[in-house]
Amino acid sequence: MVKEAERSARASVWLGAKTRRGGRGGGQPSGLDRERITSVSVRLLDAEGLEKFSMRRLAAELNVTAMSVYWYVDTKDDLLELALDAAFGELRLPDPDAEDEDWREQLRALATEYRALLVRHPWLSPLAGRYLNIGPNSLDFSRVVQRVVRRTGLPPHGVMGAISAVFQFVYGYGTVEGHFSARISDTGLSADEYHQQAMAVVAESPETAEAVEESKDLLAARGGDTVAEMLDRDFTFALDLLVAGIEAMVARG
């Protein structure tokens, strides 16, 4: 069991000999490199989703043979790790050492960026739970988050708990929102059209009408003229609750 766990822990493109940046050396296909392969992989994952992604499909998009791709990565998992970290490279990170910036706004900015990333790339959330997330971009994000939360005034033993509270919430919110957006895209409707049709169907069904009726006042109080506004308001309020919770814990000492 220990040896198996050790093998699993080392099974990352970012560890050991797998960190090679180019091909295997000698005879590798021209016109290819890891950066191009990774970029096309991200584009395919965005367009077709994780389930349809394959080395054969990627090779066809690159107009090469599948074996040509293996000059640059050993496995499909290696390639997915590279794509995952490339996506994390899209995040705009604040300067955690900027003394004139408030940690609250920096934390909100990080959470908002992460949410948008999860929605933009629905394939990202399952991969984030599958791999070690130790690529350079992922580590940069983690370091900035940790340094911002350290500035809150929480005791050291509470820092990781606060990070979990905020970013596991964002992970869940962004994952569900990303799946919702993908489902809407498949229908050819706008988000608002889909929402209106879905609510109408649910309200007419005897099995669900009662639940809709019970929540009418909450839906009305929620506010927002569009689905995007409703989602933004919910996210912002929930994030404010978490920030207020951190402030309360700091005040308690």
Side-chain angles (χ1 to χ4, degrees):
M1 288 293 291
V2 173
K3 288 184 178 180
E4 182 64 32
E6 289 175 350
R7 281 197 295 271
S8 297
R10 286 197 298 268
S12 170
V13 73
W14 303 109
L15 293 176
K18 288 191 172 188
T19 55
R20 54 187 168 81
R21 299 291 296 173
R24 297 181 180 180
Q28 62 261 37
S30 61
L32 283 184
D33 54 42
R34 268 196 174 183
E35 286 70 26
R36 184 184 172 210
I37 292 171
T38 302
S39 176
V40 173
S41 296
V42 170
R43 178 158 53 82
L44 274 179
L45 286 162
D46 286 342
E48 302 179 1
L50 185 57
E51 291 182 0
K52 294 182 179 180
F53 183 81
S54 69
M55 299 294 269
R56 188 180 299 275
R57 177 69 186 90
L58 173 64
E61 189 72 13
L62 290 164
N63 198 30
V64 298
T65 66
M67 288 307 299
S68 297
V69 178
Y70 284 111
W71 281 99
Y72 297 89
V73 291
D74 291 331
T75 67
K76 177 181 172 181
D77 280 330
D78 287 352
L79 190 51
L80 290 174
E81 273 195 279
L82 291 169
L84 175 64
D85 196 65
F88 270 92
E90 298 173 14
L91 293 167
R92 294 172 297 180
L93 305 178
D95 178 3
D97 298 322
E99 296 182 358
D100 60 336
E101 294 188 22
D102 189 272
W103 66 263
R104 297 163 187 81
E105 295 311 311
Q106 289 193 327
L107 189 60
R108 289 187 179 98
L110 286 164
T112 300
E113 280 283 309
Y114 189 35
R115 172 200 171 192
L117 187 73
L118 290 161
V119 175
R120 191 160 62 245
H121 304 300
W123 50 269
L124 188 147
S125 58
L127 297 186
R130 184 185 303 177
Y131 300 118
L132 292 175
N133 290 354
I134 54 173
N137 294 317
S138 181
L139 288 179
D140 282 347
F141 176 63
S142 296
R143 288 191 189 102
V144 171
V145 167
Q146 185 178 124
R147 289 166 70 182
V148 168
V149 177
R150 282 179 181 272
R151 293 176 55 204
T152 64
L154 284 169
H157 70 265
V159 168
M160 296 309 296
I163 291 172
S164 296
V166 173
F167 289 94
Q168 287 187 27
F169 151 69
V170 178
Y171 175 87
Y173 197 98
T175 296
V176 172
E177 186 179 357
H179 291 170
F180 177 64
S181 297
R183 186 163 67 247
I184 291 170
S185 179
D186 290 340
T187 68
L189 300 172
S190 70
D192 295 329
E193 291 169 338
Y194 180 90
H195 177 70
Q196 289 167 4
Q197 290 189 16
M199 291 301 294
V201 171
V202 170
E204 292 173 0
S205 171
E207 292 81 7
T208 54
E210 184 178 349
V212 172
E213 186 64 30
E214 287 180 0
S215 60
K216 262 188 176 180
D217 62 325
L218 297 178
L219 292 173
R222 184 189 202 185
D225 295 326
T226 67
V227 169
E229 288 177 0
M230 287 188 286
L231 290 171
D232 286 346
R233 288 190 181 194
D234 288 347
F235 180 81
T236 299
F237 189 80
L239 189 55
D240 284 346
L241 287 176
L242 291 167
V243 170
I246 293 173
E247 291 173 329
M249 292 300 289
V250 171
R252 284 174 56 179

